[in-house]
Structure formats: structure tokens, C-alpha cells
Amino acid sequence: MFRLIQLRAQHGEPRIGIDPDGYGSEHAALARYRETPAAYFGIGRFDAEGRLAEIIMDTVCSPTAYCPRTAVVVHAETFQRLCDTCSFGLEVLTLPELALHLGVVVRMAPVLAPSGRHAAPDEAYSASNRIAREFATHVDDPVWRMELCAELSRTPSAVNGLLIGVGALSHREVLDHYPALCALGTQLPGVVHEDLVRATRRPLSPAGVTALRLGM
């Protein structure tokens, strides 16, 4: 289930507002969102139990600024989407930083190519997908873990793939892979490790679950 969501700061902390109307597909929710983009932050995907599992952020820079460029970050206080130009000199959060701040996976919405089809995903999105897809079958491989950490150093936004991959493990798989998971937890790049440690204060969030499963 998909719903439109708002993201605002309240006393310095992010607060997520959820529109009551539900949509059966991401495409339908995005179509509704793009009718009034200034009113919402993006789309929320909810799991079968009604919990927010993922936030899908639109690719267009803040609609209030009438900027057509592609958003790459959000303002650290207002959470407005911003492109490289509009964000110059401002305090901002990258998508991985926002995801860890909220405790929910955040990704960009698909970009429509001129033909109307979805454009090819960028490098970060591809890396995130690959990490999520390979995680369960490769986490025991120390070479793969080293490559994963190198990828996270090069492409920090690929941390979404880590959150998805770890979160998708069953309880049995967590037990089976626990030594490798703990080893990975000690190998992660410093910034990612620090953000995940902070996320343990929200143990039921995707980032908090990831941190605990990595032995933090």
C-alpha cells in the first residue's frame, strides 16, 4: 500500500504526516502526488502490517522554488528537496543521512525518460539494488564484505541496499549468518557505522534493526 506523506520539522525533529488515501501501486501514488507536489514530501510504502517501510522522494527540486533541476539532497531543517545549485551553502542531508535520521529507507522516485518509459537508474541506485539482491547469499564471503564496504565508501547512498538486505533476512538467517553480520558491522565505513549506532535508539526502525543485526 502506498500513501502520500508530508515531512516537517517540529522542535528540531522530523515529523511524518500520512495522507489517509491509499494507492495500490507506486505509479498511481506518484501520479496523484505530482498533481500537488508542494503539499507533500513524497510517497510512503507501507507493509502488510501498516508500518512505513520505505519513503520514495520525488526527483524534482523544491516546487516552491520553481526549479526544474533534479533534487539530490534535502534541507537539514525544513526537509525541502534541493538540487546541487539550490543547496549551495546550506546545511543539507543526503538521502542516506535522511534515511538513517528517519530510520526508514529513502530512495528517489523513478525518472521518466522523454519516451515516457523509466530512465535507467543511476549508479547509486544500481549499487543499492545489487547490495540488497546479493546480501543474503554473499554476506559470509569476506571478500564480498570488503567490496561492500568499499562500495559504501564510494557511494554512500548505497546504504539503502544494506538496510534492505539486512532487513529482509529471516530470524533463522540472522542466526545462521550472525558471525558474518557482526564482522561486517566492524568493517563498515566510519560515517555509516556511527549513523547506525545512533539508530539503535530506534530499534524497530529499519536502520535500528540493521544496526542490531550487525551486532551494534
Side-chain angles (χ1 to χ4, degrees), residues 1-7 16-34 36 39-58 104-105 107 109:
M1 179 66 68
F2 297 84
R3 289 186 169 90
L4 307 187
I5 63 168
Q6 298 170 328
L7 182 59
I16 298 174
I18 302 170
D19 191 82
D21 293 337
Y23 301 86
S25 70
E26 178 181 334
H27 178 76
L30 280 171
R32 176 65 182 88
Y33 161 81
R34 284 169 175 161
T36 54
Y40 299 96
F41 176 79
I43 308 301
R45 179 176 65 81
F46 294 79
D47 63 20
E49 297 179 1
R51 295 174 299 192
L52 181 61
E54 182 181 44
I55 292 175
I56 304 161
M57 189 178 93
D58 198 14
V104 178
V105 173
R107 67 172 171 86

Side-chain angles (χ1 to χ4, degrees), residues 51-215:
R51 295 174 299 192
L52 181 61
E54 182 181 44
I55 292 175
I56 304 161
M57 189 178 93
D58 198 14
T59 56
V60 179
C61 186
S62 174
T64 58
Y66 302 102
C67 176
R69 299 183 184 90
T70 300
V72 292
V73 295
V74 299
H75 192 283
E77 294 181 357
T78 65
F79 305 109
Q80 277 192 326
R81 303 184 306 274
L82 298 169
C83 65
D84 279 331
T85 301
C86 294
S87 65
F88 182 76
L90 301 177
E91 186 177 356
V92 298
L93 297 172
T94 63
L95 261 64
E97 290 170 339
L98 178 62
L100 291 169
H101 196 47
L102 297 175
V104 178
V105 173
V106 181
R107 67 172 171 86
M108 299 296 287
V111 180
L112 289 179
S115 65
R117 296 184 178 183
H118 288 149
D122 61 18
E123 181 181 352
Y125 191 59
S126 297
S128 180
N129 281 345
R130 180 179 57 78
I131 291 169
R133 184 176 63 250
E134 296 179 357
F135 192 86
T137 55
H138 289 73
V139 68
D140 287 323
D141 182 351
V143 175
W144 185 86
R145 293 198 302 269
M146 290 176 59
E147 293 173 348
L148 166 62
C149 292
E151 183 67 65
L152 291 176
S153 295
R154 290 192 303 269
T155 316
S157 58
V159 73
N160 278 342
L162 178 66
L163 300 184
I164 295 169
V166 175
L169 296 176
S170 67
H171 293 305
R172 176 59 184 270
E173 287 173 324
V174 172
L175 292 175
D176 289 344
H177 299 301
Y178 195 64
L181 292 171
C182 290
L184 176 59
T186 65
Q187 297 168 330
L188 290 172
V191 173
V192 174
H193 185 275
E194 292 169 6
D195 286 339
L196 286 175
V197 168
R198 284 194 291 271
T200 58
R201 288 175 286 184
R202 304 185 304 278
L204 297 181
S205 69
V209 169
T210 296
L212 294 175
R213 289 184 168 190
L214 295 180

